[in-house]
Amino acid sequence: MIDAIKRIAAEDTPDQIISLMTDGDQLVAFGADSTQYFYLDGTENVVAPIKGRGVSIGILAGTETKTPNGSPVVVGADGVVYIMSGAPQRVSNNGIEELVRRAREIERLNP
């Protein structure tokens, strides 16, 4: 068994990995401060970062899911909901983002 968390190294912003997910044939490592895409490289390293696919969008733990067509969807650390397939696309509006902000505040007050 391969412990992928011990094997991957981010291209741009190394940070704590919150979740791993597949997007097609790619592995997506969602961190607290960034997201990085990897491919199977066929070496002992198992995976390698896809150059240019690292983005400075971290996620809130437990918010990752997929659309019906398989695209990753997350609530970013900034409270914005993103589809993360290809370039990150904001899919939330100000009302949803305000609800996320309020929920985070309640969570902080009632750990």
Side-chain angles (χ1 to χ4, degrees):
M1 183 173 178
I2 298 168
D3 185 348
I5 293 177
K6 290 182 180 176
R7 292 272 186 184
I8 61 176
E11 175 188 27
D12 296 320
T13 311
D15 61 341
Q16 179 184 356
I17 294 173
I18 293 175
S19 181
L20 296 171
M21 183 182 285
T22 58
D23 183 10
D25 61 353
Q26 299 172 354
L27 176 69
V28 187
F30 296 106
D33 301 315
S34 67
T35 298
Q36 178 69 57
Y37 285 76
F38 295 85
Y39 68 96
L40 296 174
D41 71 355
T43 70
E44 65 183 33
N45 293 327
V46 182
V47 295
I50 298 173
K51 301 229 183 281
R53 285 296 309 268
V55 294
S56 297
I57 296 174
I59 70 164
L60 298 179
T63 64
E64 62 282 354
T65 189
K66 288 192 173 189
T67 64
N69 71 355
S71 297
V73 177
V74 300
V75 177
D78 57 2
V80 175
V81 180
Y82 296 96
I83 291 180
M84 297 295 287
S85 194
Q89 177 184 355
R90 177 182 177 219
V91 293
S92 57
N93 60 32
N94 291 338
I96 296 296
E97 293 159 15
E98 177 62 18
L99 290 173
V100 170
R101 187 196 66 73
R102 288 181 188 174
R104 292 178 75 190
E105 187 61 30
I106 290 168
E107 188 177 75
R108 276 193 278 278
L109 295 174
N110 301 299

